[in-house]
Amino acid sequence: MGTTATELEGAVRKLLEHFDNLDQDAIAALMAEDVQGVDEISRGWLRGKSALSDYFGKLKEMAVTDIKTSVSGFHTTTWGDAGLVTLMADQTYSVAGEHQHVVAPMTVAFRREGVGWKIVLVHAVPLPEHEE
């Protein structure tokens, strides 16, 4: 894996570690001002760093706790100052004490800003559980 791929995979791992801890400030530091993401609660788009920060505040208000995310299947592609990481995320958490589990293909897009990379898109699509 090349240095850029390693950097981007590391940034995704940091993002998810900070998400597991609902550390809004650490997450914001990884994002570009014009970042976009999907809000699973309202089922719409979040546009801009402040909108995503508000989303994380809502999760805390909803008593989302015990978030644990494991990842697999990283694939990284870069084009000059743009990078794309796709992976599978397996996540458990509690909402007001009720256990939840989701598996989601995830995409994180990056743009090089200065000497580092900033996240410009976070998109995950939770898949329904398989019925036997």
Side-chain angles (χ1 to χ4, degrees):
M1 184 177 336
T3 302
T4 299
T6 302
E7 289 173 350
L8 296 181
E9 181 178 324
V12 171
R13 289 184 185 279
K14 279 185 185 178
L15 169 68
L16 293 171
E17 177 185 328
H18 298 321
F19 182 80
D20 286 357
N21 296 313
L22 290 178
D23 186 340
Q24 292 171 264
D25 293 335
I27 293 168
L30 298 172
M31 296 183 176
E33 288 298 322
D34 58 346
V35 65
Q36 296 186 47
V38 175
D39 176 352
E40 293 177 33
I41 298 168
S42 71
R43 299 185 179 268
W45 283 99
L46 299 166
R47 292 189 170 92
K49 195 184 277 193
S50 65
L52 266 83
S53 186
D54 290 347
Y55 173 74
F56 296 119
K58 286 180 190 175
L59 293 178
K60 287 181 179 180
E61 290 171 14
M62 293 173 55
V64 175
T65 60
D66 303 319
I67 305 169
K68 303 226 181 336
T69 307
S70 60
V71 293
S72 62
F74 277 89
H75 184 267
T76 303
T77 305
T78 58
W79 309 270
D81 289 339
L84 182 71
V85 179
T86 56
L87 61 136
M88 290 298 294
D90 189 315
Q91 189 175 73
T92 58
Y93 57 95
S94 294
V95 179
E98 187 176 324
H99 181 76
Q100 305 289 321
H101 176 244
V102 295
V103 175
M106 184 174 187
T107 303
V108 183
F110 291 86
R111 176 177 59 227
R112 190 183 312 270
E113 291 188 1
V115 296
W117 292 91
K118 292 291 186 176
I119 296 170
V120 294
L121 174 71
V122 178
H123 185 258
V125 181
L127 300 174
E129 293 287 330
H130 287 290
E131 293 186 25
E132 303 283 326

